[in-house]
Amino acid sequence: MTGVRVAGVGLTHFGRHPERTGRDLFGEAALAAREESGVALEDIESINYGNFMGSLSERQGHQAPLMAEMVGLQCPATRYEEACASAGVAVREAVRAVRSGEADVILAGGCERMTNLSTADVTEGLATAADELYEIRAGMTFPGAYALMARAYFESFGGEREDLAHVAVKNHDNALPNEYAQFHRAITVDEVLDAPMVSDPVGLLDACPVTDGASALVLVSDEYAAEHDVDAPVSITGSGQGGDNLALHDRERLAVTPATERAAAEAYDDAGCSADDVDLVEVHDCFTIAEVLAIEGLGFYDHGEGIGAARRGETTATGDLPVNLSGGLKAKGHPVGATGGSQIAEMTRLLRGDHPNSDHVEDATLGVTHNAGGTVASAVVHVLEVDR
């Protein structure tokens, strides 16, 4: 089985781009990844493309061949949809294809265009990642769903809103130097606590923004990299995927995320590592409570211990385990179909040393990315390692 290397990464600025189309955004990211990789365009054998709500936001289905066209290719192209984990799954399937020997070069990533819609329409579109029969018809939205998870956490393990506020403050601080981030504004704990309440205990500054953006990666086999002298020091050495019941009422507990635990166990086993070996992590913090659930599900903290990690400084840029040095979904932004690819692009930059926050982890050799769908009914975890 061959190894898989990240030969090139490409990102658009994450933010409001209502005047641009999804095809335009993905084309920018994909061509940037191809240029950075130095791989010949004609060597790309297929495209794995993540997108969640393009059929709603742009009335455009069958997007994958369109995205191939934007890159200048007519190769096989497939769209992957797994809610907010769409790009994570697209990358995972690319990793599996390269490892198996089916392909040597795959372009993987994703895109979402959202800010052209009203807030109500975005909320309605995102809600389709929940259970239509039992949750959406009852009026469930994702701020409400994560508020239920936060309440369950507080009741099971303790904690308070101020603990969550420190997560938001940390991630906004991390986003400040990131040129691709949506927000370049520091916030305070008091600002988070005083922000309008969306669904108690989730306030406005506990939530990620609505975002347009795209991400892309050129993945190559070890053999291709060696034969073509491709400079690709970062490898994806572990990949895992987990699942859970879709609707919250069908789960035994709301304060834990078994899908993350299952994905992490598979990824760690695949890479031959454990949570103790991880130097830094990018997690799916669509809401501040989601970061807490993620760092516990990934095995960095016991249940009930992760809530105070940011407040104690353990997950800050200078802490023992930096979390979301990119700014995370909270401050970098969350173009749903692009996020999983963006996390791997950011982790690659951090490990290579060319990210504005790389100085905080200059000796790091192993990082983990965590991409989740819905209320973590789906989770994808990747382990990345850098040659030193």
Side-chain angles (χ1 to χ4, degrees):
M1 182 175 68
T2 185
V4 181
R5 293 186 174 269
V6 183
V9 304
L11 295 165
T12 66
H13 171 260
F14 280 18
R16 294 184 59 84
H17 300 287
E19 75 289 351
R20 299 183 65 182
T21 61
R23 68 185 76 185
D24 178 33
L25 290 165
F26 185 75
E28 177 187 333
L31 290 172
R34 206 288 310 167
E35 181 176 0
E36 184 183 87
S37 73
V39 169
L41 184 63
E42 60 269 21
D43 285 354
I44 296 174
E45 298 165 76
S46 62
I47 293 178
N48 287 18
Y49 172 73
N51 178 266
F52 173 52
M53 54 185 290
S55 298
L56 300 174
S57 65
E58 297 195 285
R59 298 183 60 81
Q60 179 65 63
H62 202 191
Q63 288 196 13
L66 178 61
M67 300 309 165
E69 181 182 344
M70 295 306 296
V71 183
L73 293 170
Q74 294 179 328
C75 63
T78 305
R79 173 189 173 190
Y80 291 82
E81 188 278 298
E82 195 78 354
C84 310
S86 295
V89 171
V91 173
R92 171 170 161 78
E93 292 306 311
V95 169
R96 289 155 65 93
V98 172
R99 282 180 167 181
S100 72
E102 180 181 335
D104 280 310
V105 184
I106 297 180
L107 176 66
C111 176
E112 209 73 67
R113 182 180 178 223
M114 304 168 69
T115 67
N116 59 306
L117 300 178
S118 67
T119 300
D121 286 343
V122 171
T123 301
E124 183 177 351
L126 292 173
T128 62
D131 188 315
E132 193 280 332
L133 184 60
Y134 294 110
E135 293 182 315
I136 300 174
R137 293 189 189 186
M140 174 74 78
T141 63
F142 278 103
Y146 275 90
L148 289 173
M149 297 169 82
R151 283 175 171 265
Y153 188 100
F154 290 165
E155 291 174 5
S156 297
F157 305 119
E160 57 185 5
R161 287 197 64 219
E162 187 168 346
D163 294 312
L164 299 179
H166 281 273
V167 173
V169 169
K170 167 183 69 70
N171 291 346
H172 272 256
D173 285 345
N174 289 343
L176 289 173
N178 188 348
E179 67 271 32
Y180 298 109
Q182 183 163 355
F183 294 138
H184 294 107
R185 180 174 73 88
I187 58 175
T188 67
V189 168
D190 286 342
E191 285 178 310
V192 179
L193 297 177
D194 293 340
M197 185 60 66
V198 178
S199 184
D200 194 10
V202 173
L204 183 63
L205 291 181
D206 287 294
C208 69
V210 175
T211 312
D212 303 322
S215 63
L217 316 166
V218 175
L219 304 181
V220 303
S221 66
D222 281 343
E223 290 80 3
Y224 181 94
E227 182 180 344
H228 293 82
D229 197 25
V230 175
D231 182 16
V234 175
S235 297
I236 299 177
T237 58
S239 180
Q241 184 173 351
D244 199 357
N245 293 333
L246 183 63
L248 289 180
H249 69 263
D250 283 327
R251 300 182 193 176
E252 292 185 10
R253 302 172 67 188
L254 301 188
V256 297
T257 51
T260 295
E261 295 174 7
R262 293 165 185 146
E266 182 180 4
Y268 294 158
D269 181 67
D270 192 27
C273 70
S274 71
D276 292 337
D277 298 315
V278 177
D279 296 309
L280 70 161
V281 60
E282 291 283 318
V283 304
H284 198 94
D285 61 322
C286 48
F287 298 91
T288 49
I289 185 62
E291 177 167 311
V292 176
L293 296 172
I295 60 176
E296 293 183 359
L298 291 166
F300 304 127
Y301 290 89
D302 291 336
H303 294 310
E305 295 298 319
I307 186 68
R311 192 173 189 171
R312 295 188 297 265
E314 296 162 3
T315 55
T316 62
T318 58
D320 291 337
L321 181 69
V323 175
N324 286 336
L325 283 174
S326 69
L329 286 63
K330 173 66 192 76
K332 184 190 173 183
H334 182 29
V336 175
T339 289
S342 169
Q343 291 175 319
I344 294 175
E346 295 283 26
M347 182 61 70
T348 299
R349 297 170 69 215
L350 285 160
L351 290 172
R352 290 189 315 205
D354 56 285
H355 191 283
N357 281 325
S358 287
D359 287 349
H360 295 297
V361 288
E362 59 184 1
D363 296 323
T365 60
L366 190 150
V368 162
T369 65
H370 162 263
N371 189 201
T375 49
V376 203
S378 304
V380 184
V381 173
H382 286 102
V383 177
L384 283 75
E385 298 184 57
V386 65
D387 298 335
R388 293 292 189 195

